[in-house]
Amino acid sequence: MSGTNHGFMILLFFGIFSLSLYLIPKIRAIALKGNHSDTPDHRSSHSSPVATFGGVTFFISYILVLFFAQSLDDNQISLTLIASITILFFTGFLDDLWNLSPKIKFLGQFVGVALLMFHPEFRILSLHGFMGIFEIPLYVSIVGSMIFLLGLINAFNLIDGIDGLTGITGIIVASFYSFMLYKLEYYFFLSISIATIGTLLAFLRFNFSVSKKIFMGDTGSLVIGLVLGLLTLKFMSLEDGAYTVLSFKRLQLPLFLVGVLFVPILDTLRVMFLRAVKGVSMFKPDRNHIHHIIVDFGLSHRKASFFIGGVNFIVALTMFIVIQYFNALQSSFILLLLFLLAIILLFLMNKNRASLKLKAKIKNSMLKMFF
């Protein structure tokens, strides 16, 4: 990185961090004055109303970054990103205001994601041998990329259930991505990733507060999910040669990215599976998320968020090391083993009524089988 770019990135981080620290209390005051707060219900972990719209700060931060980093935008993608982020922002904003129906909310996400597909920057035209797949038809790339982005956006929306979890997870993901973007010298996308870290760090200062607490709301989680998703697609769209500086083969990149996104992916797949088994709507809220299990086990919000974030960090770091020393098949086996261990741990920690009944049923079946 040149001295100019290095100085810009440092200035960008502290600028976004300081701006967010300044804006969040202002936004909180406006939200409380307008009676825009999250009222607790049977699923909530808080006992009193808390101001929402913390995500407004994220939106402002990204718009400013995309404006000031245009000199780094070699492929003229800034306007497309601004349009897509704006649509996701207003979708979340209106949902926080009026609690949109799942169909309207999904429509907004679909339009915002579809805009990105018009730009070749995010088209994945080859998996470079991963799972035996090389070239991908354009329509398959577009459909697959949209499904992935929509899934990740909603994954970050789903984990936003306790103080700090989405913020900590976002910082961990953005930190790994920043390291990779720095090594690859993709400074435009690096500026977006660094802005994510800066604004989320500032947000955590208030999200963990007792007297000045604020939630990011869908206004924030949808935007964060989109930004981290488009950075993921950027990595997947790169050719083999770009990854020589990272000391691992391009075909194993998907395994590393799954490791970085471990918690959002695990939580979403697990919840979707449980809802499908129970025959309930995928959009029906419940208390089967990872963070609910950890909190019900006895950890505070802060401890639960750092514990889950710590697991995500360890898995991501493990996969970064694994793909440098093992082949694709061995790395895939290790990643599946990590998922299996996490599922078993959650099963053992789960104390809710349905889980206890299931455990008793399994225990009785095993006793009949062996005795």
Side-chain angles (χ1 to χ4, degrees), residues 43 45 58 154-174 196 200-201 203-209 213-217 220-221 224-225 228 260-268 270-271 288-296 299-313 346:
R43 296 177 55 252
S45 301
F58 309 162
N154 284 283
F156 271 88
N157 189 221
L158 288 173
I159 67 171
D160 187 31
I162 60 173
D163 297 342
L165 181 55
T166 305
I168 290 172
T169 304
I171 289 170
I172 290 171
V173 175
T196 302
L200 285 177
L201 278 174
F203 169 74
L204 288 179
R205 155 70 179 83
F206 298 96
N207 191 219
F208 279 134
S209 173
K213 183 182 293 295
I214 188 171
F215 292 154
M216 66 171 65
S221 62
I224 291 296
L228 294 178
V260 175
L261 298 168
F262 183 78
V263 165
I265 291 175
L266 173 63
D267 187 61
T268 301
R270 182 180 172 279
V271 168
N288 283 316
H289 295 284
I290 293 173
H291 51 271
H292 290 135
I293 294 173
I294 303 300
V295 169
D296 290 344
L299 274 68
S300 66
H301 281 206
R302 183 174 300 195
K303 290 180 179 178
S305 292
F306 277 106
F307 172 77
I308 297 171
V311 169
N312 201 138
F313 176 81
L346 289 171

Side-chain angles (χ1 to χ4, degrees), residues 75-109:
N75 296 313
Q76 306 301 309
I77 196 174
S78 296
L79 289 179
T80 303
L81 293 182
I82 289 173
S84 182
I85 290 173
T86 299
I87 291 173
L88 265 294
F89 165 73
F90 278 108
T91 299
F93 185 82
L94 293 175
D95 187 51
D96 286 334
L97 270 179
W98 297 316
N99 195 22
L100 300 176
S101 70
K103 291 182 179 180
I104 297 298
K105 186 176 176 180
F106 181 79
L107 178 62
Q109 296 174 23

